[in-house]
Amino acid sequence: PAPAGLLGDPEPEEAVSDDSSRHGGRVRGFPHERGNWATHVYLPYIAQEEFLELLELLVSRARTYVPSLAAMEEFHLSLSQCVVLRYHWIEPFVRSLRERLAAFHRFFCVADQVKVYTNQNKTRTFIGLEVSAGHFQLLELVSEVDGVLEEFDLPTFYKDPSFHISLAWCVGDLSGRLEGQCLRELQDIVDGFEDSAFLLRIQWEQIRCKSGNKYFSFPLR
């Protein structure tokens, strides 16, 4: 039987628009096809007011180098790449994830190192906070998620991942403008922010999987 989140139309069609002007110029990583569901496993981060204040300071400074920079509206730490699932794979995929992740406990990590990233095809640039503590637990989670991906012959996560929370983004490869002096200034803001050591010590309480417009949660013990 399909999970509760999938009841209804046996293969509902996602609402799709490939008009990049409607979503800030972002370019789809793979073409949409009916029955293909973009799927991503991640740790969600619910931003507190103090975090949003820090974000505003960072984006304001970074915009003096890249005016087109846009702040992220939601925050997460990825445990998988974005992969494509066929609709009928979603239920067994989620079930396998739930089984593999059931034994994991809540844990802390520290995300306090500012870093610049680009996506694989260099169509977007990001500013993120890289994890400086808690790497081992994250690798353990990725190992289990990779195991599920391998069951479905899907791409696993990056070999030497730089775990991070993305803060802001822009279209194109503008990493050259953001690295160097800009990056040093952003790190100074983080280091000097009041209570940043407490603010950027994050407790993870659940893992999520997003497949198309469906969300599945896996609470950590």
Side-chain angles (χ1 to χ4, degrees):
L6 298 178
L7 296 176
D9 185 337
E11 191 175 310
E13 185 170 9
E14 293 180 77
V16 172
S17 171
D18 282 330
D19 181 359
S20 65
S21 67
R22 297 182 63 183
H23 38 83
R26 286 173 289 178
V27 178
R28 203 177 258 283
F30 41 81
H32 174 76
E33 294 180 23
R34 179 176 171 82
N36 282 355
W37 289 56
T39 302
H40 178 220
V41 183
Y42 61 96
L43 291 159
Y45 175 63
I46 308 303
Q48 304 301 315
E49 185 177 348
E50 294 88 347
F51 183 86
L52 296 177
E53 290 174 5
L54 174 59
L55 175 68
E56 187 176 351
L57 288 174
L58 292 169
V59 173
S60 178
R61 179 64 61 86
R63 279 180 180 153
T64 64
Y65 292 86
V66 177
S68 62
L69 206 66
M72 304 293 289
E73 296 178 359
E74 296 181 349
F75 306 94
H76 66 267
L77 188 150
S78 292
L79 298 174
S80 79
Q81 299 187 61
C82 187
V83 298
V84 177
L85 276 182
R86 300 296 294 171
Y87 180 78
H88 60 278
W89 290 351
I90 297 174
E91 190 273 337
F93 184 87
V94 169
R95 183 175 62 236
S96 187
L97 271 180
R98 197 174 300 281
E99 290 170 357
R100 283 180 172 267
L101 299 173
F104 280 89
H105 293 263
R106 298 178 183 185
F107 66 98
F108 287 95
C109 77
V110 177
D112 60 359
Q113 300 300 305
V114 186
K115 192 166 179 179
V116 175
Y117 298 89
T118 55
N119 61 356
Q120 283 182 301
N121 51 8
K122 305 292 185 182
T123 58
R124 296 175 74 193
T125 304
F126 299 84
I127 295 173
L129 286 175
E130 186 182 31
V131 167
S132 62
H135 199 81
F136 176 75
Q137 292 94 326
L138 293 169
L139 285 174
E140 286 191 318
L141 285 175
V142 165
S143 177
E144 295 300 332
V145 173
D146 277 352
V148 178
L149 293 165
E150 287 171 346
E151 289 176 29
F152 291 82
D153 199 25
L154 293 168
T156 55
F157 205 39
Y158 307 108
K159 214 168 190 183
D160 296 304
S162 172
F163 295 110
H164 64 279
I165 298 171
S166 291
L167 303 177
W169 67 279
C170 60
V171 173
D173 181 1
L174 299 182
S175 55
R177 295 194 206 172
L178 293 169
E179 289 169 343
Q181 181 61 29
C182 177
L183 195 58
R184 287 190 291 272
E185 291 178 14
L186 297 181
Q187 189 63 58
D188 286 344
I189 291 173
V190 170
D191 294 342
F193 192 75
E194 186 177 3
D195 295 329
S196 65
F198 172 77
L199 176 63
L200 300 178
R201 185 174 184 264
I202 301 164
Q203 183 179 39
W204 303 111
E205 299 186 350
Q206 65 171 304
I207 299 163
R208 280 191 194 154
C209 174
K210 180 180 185 292
S211 189
N213 56 5
K214 309 294 183 186
Y215 290 84
F216 305 90
S217 293
F218 313 93
L220 297 170
R221 297 171 62 187

